[in-house]
Amino acid sequence: THSFVPKTAMSSAAETTAASPPTPEAPTSTTKNPLLLLSYGLIIGLWFVTQKILVPYVAHLLLLVISLLYVGCHWSLVLREEQAISRGDVVPPNDPDDGSPPPPPPPSETLRKEDAMQFPLMGSASLFSLYLAFKFFDKEYVNLLISLYFCAIGCLALTVTCAPLFASFLGKLGAKRFKFGKPVNHSLP
């Protein structure tokens, strides 16, 4: 009634699978993620809707924060995947092993202890400068300057956040890059 498997056959099968562990493959970041597309749609849709319709701020804040967090977390995972591929921890998808060296890892930013210790100092300096600005300048001018600053930062953040979405819609047209500037001839290498 019981089937008997010899120990030698069982151990050799286990050794064969243990000797060659499969190399994990990296998931492709180009797959269409419906939640990511929904998040992009919510970010853009909320911006357009709130221009014409009064949306309760609690609903607006919750939808916008959740969408932005999902998009940010998704792209941080893509960065982590690229770093793992460049370190050789995982095999890149659809990439035959041709013996060429892997590309260098993308630069990663880390927070050092010295940087963290400067946060209270920089925060205090910025709050004190804001206090001085309100004390010595007219309130309307300071508010205008702060509004312009946040408008510029918001436009930049929205552009960086939505750039991958627009690139997927535009295809090759979106891949075309424009360069501004004039080359300068110099003797340095």
Side-chain angles (χ1 to χ4, degrees), residues 10-24:
M10 201 163 87
S11 63
S12 65
E15 288 172 5
T16 320
T17 57
S20 59
T23 307

Side-chain angles (χ1 to χ4, degrees), residues 123-138:
S124 299
S126 62
L127 286 175
F128 184 66
S129 64
L130 191 60
Y131 166 75
L132 290 178
F134 274 110
K135 184 171 179 147
F136 293 115
F137 297 114
D138 194 19

Side-chain angles (χ1 to χ4, degrees), residues 140-159:
E140 288 82 24
Y141 292 126
V142 175
N143 283 336
L144 177 67
L145 182 66
I146 291 172
S147 297
L148 289 174
Y149 171 75
F150 279 114
C151 179
I153 294 298
C155 288
L156 181 66
L158 189 64
T159 302

Side-chain angles (χ1 to χ4, degrees), residues 46 49-50 53-64:
L46 279 173
V49 166
T50 55
I53 300 172
L54 183 62
V55 177
Y57 70 91
V58 174
H60 182 265
L61 183 69
L62 284 175
L63 289 173
L64 192 62

Side-chain angles (χ1 to χ4, degrees), residues 12 17-18 21-23 26 39-41 61 64 99-100 108 113 115 128 130 132 145 160-161 163 168 172 184 188:
S12 65
T17 57
T23 307
S39 296
Y40 278 127
L61 183 69
L64 192 62
S100 62
S108 62
K113 181 181 175 184
D115 297 333
F128 184 66
L130 191 60
L132 290 178
L145 182 66
V160 170
T161 302
S168 67
K172 291 189 177 192
V184 178
L188 297 175

Side-chain angles (χ1 to χ4, degrees), residues 9-179:
M10 201 163 87
S11 63
S12 65
E15 288 172 5
T16 320
T17 57
S20 59
T23 307
E25 288 194 13
T28 59
S29 61
T30 58
T31 58
K32 298 294 180 192
N33 186 346
L35 287 176
L36 183 65
L37 295 176
L38 177 69
S39 296
Y40 278 127
L42 273 174
I43 293 168
I44 295 170
L46 279 173
W47 185 81
F48 282 117
V49 166
T50 55
Q51 300 298 318
K52 300 292 181 187
I53 300 172
L54 183 62
V55 177
Y57 70 91
V58 174
H60 182 265
L61 183 69
L62 284 175
L63 289 173
L64 192 62
V65 165
I66 290 170
S67 298
L68 289 173
L69 280 174
Y70 187 81
V71 168
C73 289
H74 174 78
W75 287 111
S76 71
L77 288 176
V78 170
L79 176 66
R80 218 175 141 184
E81 174 187 321
E82 290 172 357
Q83 289 174 342
I85 289 171
S86 65
R87 282 193 310 262
D89 294 344
V90 293
V91 176
N94 301 330
D95 188 28
D97 189 20
D98 57 359
S100 62
S108 62
E109 297 180 15
T110 57
L111 184 65
R112 296 177 299 154
K113 181 181 175 184
E114 294 82 18
D115 297 333
M117 290 172 59
Q118 288 181 356
F119 284 157
L121 298 174
M122 298 302 281
S124 299
S126 62
L127 286 175
F128 184 66
S129 64
L130 191 60
Y131 166 75
L132 290 178
F134 274 110
K135 184 171 179 147
F136 293 115
F137 297 114
D138 194 19
K139 180 182 174 183
E140 288 82 24
Y141 292 126
V142 175
N143 283 336
L144 177 67
L145 182 66
I146 291 172
S147 297
L148 289 174
Y149 171 75
F150 279 114
C151 179
I153 294 298
C155 288
L156 181 66
L158 189 64
T159 302
V160 170
T161 302
C162 295
L165 176 69
F166 293 138
S168 67
F169 284 133
L170 296 176
K172 291 189 177 192
L173 181 65
K176 186 176 181 181
R177 303 284 178 182
F178 297 99
K179 287 180 125 179

